[in-house]
């Protein structure tokens, strides 16, 4: 099922959810933050989409915003779908998917660790890769650290 | 007799064999250099070469090098791989748990200086010598087993020159600085 078909189905079954094809990529669906949980639960339970597996989840820092991307997989139809939410870079917060896909927990901890995205109602949101006492979020574009030496420009 | 080639000895032939006379420092250093037990651990891809060196084809055992899985029983720590800032305190602790005299070999570019992670990395320590004193550096990414063996032989030569009892050796004093 193509992303446009999924949006059509979403509009029919869940009229209050606003979803649109992302401008960057034809196969990604962009959602409002508030609609994320409803949409993921619907896509999992609906017989026609059956996206029953969260393949992965990650954040991207675009310097003016932070996006969180969710790659869903359907075992029944062997298809993939990308969902995308845009977050405020100053205060990136989004609901945790742990209640729908428990496997999201570690992925969300990674996004929290490296990008500082706060996942609301996550059962155990703490750093997963960096030391617990680490300050800052290393994968952000404006990150700096005393240990970080930039490679000199080559001629 | 092979031992005559390695350390200065006085030999007196007797009807039933011979008597060897040498300094205790010499025999002690020779014995210590020929039983370097190393700590069984690896940090990254260099550990693969370390394992290859320990296995049958290159065979660390023939140098008297056996791995031990506890720092209490080892003489040598081979830092084989990338040392991250998160790992650094653990390595320091392992080093402190080793009994003296103790030696460290920095294997590969990462352990020597940060290697390919020197630039643009927030998480990699720029050389293990920032946290523990290093006796021998082995360049390479990753060093082949021959290079690691050469490094170990270099360390053995260094140990043979040490004078544990008379305490005149300077390299041993350097080693104990932390």
């Amino acid at each position: 099922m193509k992303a446009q078909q999924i949006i059509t189905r979403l509009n029919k079954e869940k009229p209050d959810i606003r979803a649109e094809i992302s401008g960057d990529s034809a196969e990604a669906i962009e959602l409002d933050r508030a609609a994320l949980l409803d949409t993921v639960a619907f896509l999992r339970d609906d017989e026609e989409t059956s996206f029953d597996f969260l393949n992965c989840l990650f954040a991207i820092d675009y310097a003016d915003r932070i996006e969180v991307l969710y790659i869903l997989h359907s075992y029944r139809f062997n298809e993939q779908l990308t969902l995308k939410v845009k977050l405020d870079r100053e205060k990136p917060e989004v609901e945790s998917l742990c209640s729908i896909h428990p496997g999201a927990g570690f992925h969300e901890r990674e996004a929290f660790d490296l990008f500082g995205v706060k996942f609301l109602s996550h059962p155990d949101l703490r750093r997963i890769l960096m030391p617990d006492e680490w300050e800052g979020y290393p994968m952000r574009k404006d990150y700096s650290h005393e240990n970080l030496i930039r490679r000199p420009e080559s001629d | 007799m092979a031992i005559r080639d390695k350390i200065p000895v006085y030999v007196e032939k007797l009807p039933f064999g011979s008597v060897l006379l040498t300094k205790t420092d010499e025999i002690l250093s020779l014995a210590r250099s020929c039983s370097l037990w190393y700590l069984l651990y690896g940090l990254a891809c260099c550990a693969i070469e370390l394992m290859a060196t320990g296995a049958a084809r290159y065979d660390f055992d023939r140098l008297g090098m056996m791995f031990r899985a506890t720092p209490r029983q080892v003489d040598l720590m081979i830092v084989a791989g990338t040392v991250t800032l998160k790992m650094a305190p653990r390595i320091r602790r392992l080093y402190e748990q080793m009994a003296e005299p103790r030696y460290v070999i920095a294997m590969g570019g990462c352990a020597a200086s940060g290697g390919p992670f020197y630039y643009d990395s927030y998480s990699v320590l720029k050389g293990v010598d920032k946290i523990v004193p290093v006796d021998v550096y082995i360049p390479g990414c990753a060093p082949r087993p021959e290079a690691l063996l050469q490094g170990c032989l270099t360390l053995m030569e260094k140990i043979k020159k040490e004078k544990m009892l008379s305490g005149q050796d300077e390299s041993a004093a350097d080693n104990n600085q932390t």
Side-chain angles (χ1 to χ4, degrees):
Chain A
M1 193 182 265
K2 293 285 177 208
Q4 189 56 55
Q5 294 172 281
I6 291 167
I7 289 185
T8 311
R9 174 140 189 92
L10 263 176
N11 288 340
K12 188 177 151 211
E13 302 287 330
K14 295 266 184 184
D16 51 330
I17 290 178
R18 200 177 62 81
E20 57 191 39
I21 297 270
S22 166
D24 306 314
S25 147
E27 286 304 301
I29 294 178
E30 190 180 325
L31 291 166
D32 277 344
R33 195 195 115 185
L36 178 71
L37 278 188
D38 274 356
T39 311
V40 173
F42 172 77
L43 291 174
R44 182 191 63 178
D45 298 330
D46 185 44
E47 288 289 309
E48 296 205 4
T49 52
S50 188
F51 285 107
D52 49 3
F53 180 66
L54 178 68
N55 208 334
C56 70
L57 170 174
F58 53 90
I60 303 176
D61 184 4
Y62 282 105
D64 62 332
R65 65 187 190 279
I66 284 182
E67 291 186 358
V68 180
L69 278 78
Y70 303 85
I71 314 247
L72 299 171
H73 183 83
S74 165
Y75 273 103
R76 180 190 288 178
F77 301 115
N78 193 23
E79 283 186 4
Q80 287 205 352
L81 175 69
T82 307
L83 299 181
K84 185 188 276 191
V85 287
K86 291 185 178 175
L87 305 177
D88 178 15
R89 195 168 180 284
E90 301 304 314
K91 198 184 174 197
E93 288 183 348
V94 67
E95 278 68 26
S96 168
L97 285 193
C98 287
S99 56
I100 304 167
H101 294 291
F106 275 13
H107 297 277
E108 290 178 343
R109 281 179 63 186
E110 187 191 6
F112 166 73
D113 191 359
L114 301 178
F115 289 91
V117 179
K118 193 177 175 197
F119 291 90
L120 305 172
S121 69
H122 186 288
D124 183 24
L125 191 65
R126 59 196 163 88
R127 289 188 181 276
I128 191 169
L129 294 170
M130 307 304 293
D132 290 338
E133 67 279 5
W134 195 267
E135 287 179 9
Y137 304 107
M139 294 302 279
R140 290 221 184 165
K141 292 283 187 214
D142 55 357
Y143 181 76
S144 67
H145 185 264
E146 57 184 4
N147 194 44
L148 182 61
I149 302 173
R150 291 293 177 192
R151 187 182 295 275
E153 295 288 324
S154 57
D155 296 327
Chain B
M1 195 177 290
I3 195 168
R4 288 164 61 183
D5 307 330
K6 300 193 175 185
I7 54 173
V9 290
Y10 168 76
V11 184
E12 183 166 326
K13 293 226 184 289
L14 294 173
F16 50 85
S18 57
V19 171
L20 294 181
L21 198 65
T22 185
K23 290 188 276 187
T24 40
D25 262 340
E26 300 283 353
I27 199 81
L28 207 60
S29 295
L30 177 68
R32 287 198 310 117
S33 72
C34 293
S35 65
L36 272 181
W37 291 3
Y38 62 98
L39 187 57
L40 175 65
Y41 86 116
L43 297 173
C45 27
C46 276
I48 305 295
E49 299 296 313
L50 174 66
M51 285 183 268
T53 317
R57 182 176 284 259
Y58 293 96
D59 198 7
F60 256 157
D61 288 15
R62 66 200 161 92
L63 304 179
M65 295 183 64
M66 321 283 271
F67 61 78
R68 306 297 297 167
T70 163
R72 305 288 186 197
Q73 299 175 356
V74 302
D75 313 288
L76 168 65
M77 168 190 268
I78 300 175
V79 183
T82 316
V83 184
T84 59
L85 295 182
K86 192 175 180 179
M87 196 66 189
R90 280 80 172 175
I91 290 182
R92 176 71 205 176
R93 171 164 295 183
L94 284 171
Y95 177 77
E96 283 167 356
Q97 286 173 334
M98 289 162 61
E100 289 180 359
R102 53 197 172 187
Y103 306 93
V104 177
I105 288 181
M107 178 183 180
C110 293
S113 71
F117 307 105
Y118 183 85
Y119 289 124
D120 295 337
S121 171
Y122 53 87
S123 58
V124 174
L125 188 73
K126 297 184 196 321
V128 74
D129 50 7
K130 290 194 187 303
I131 52 165
V132 294
V134 175
D135 295 278
V136 176
Y137 297 85
I138 304 171
C141 186
R144 280 190 57 86
E146 291 92 331
L148 179 56
L149 286 169
Q150 178 67 44
C152 294
L153 290 171
T154 308
L155 180 63
M156 288 164 72
E157 288 304 316
K158 181 181 177 180
I159 294 172
K160 273 181 208 164
K161 287 178 191 149
E162 286 182 3
K163 292 180 170 45
M164 295 294 290
L165 296 177
S166 48
Q168 293 167 345
D169 185 70
E170 289 171 2
S171 62
D174 287 344
N175 186 43
N176 292 334
Q177 285 176 2
T178 52

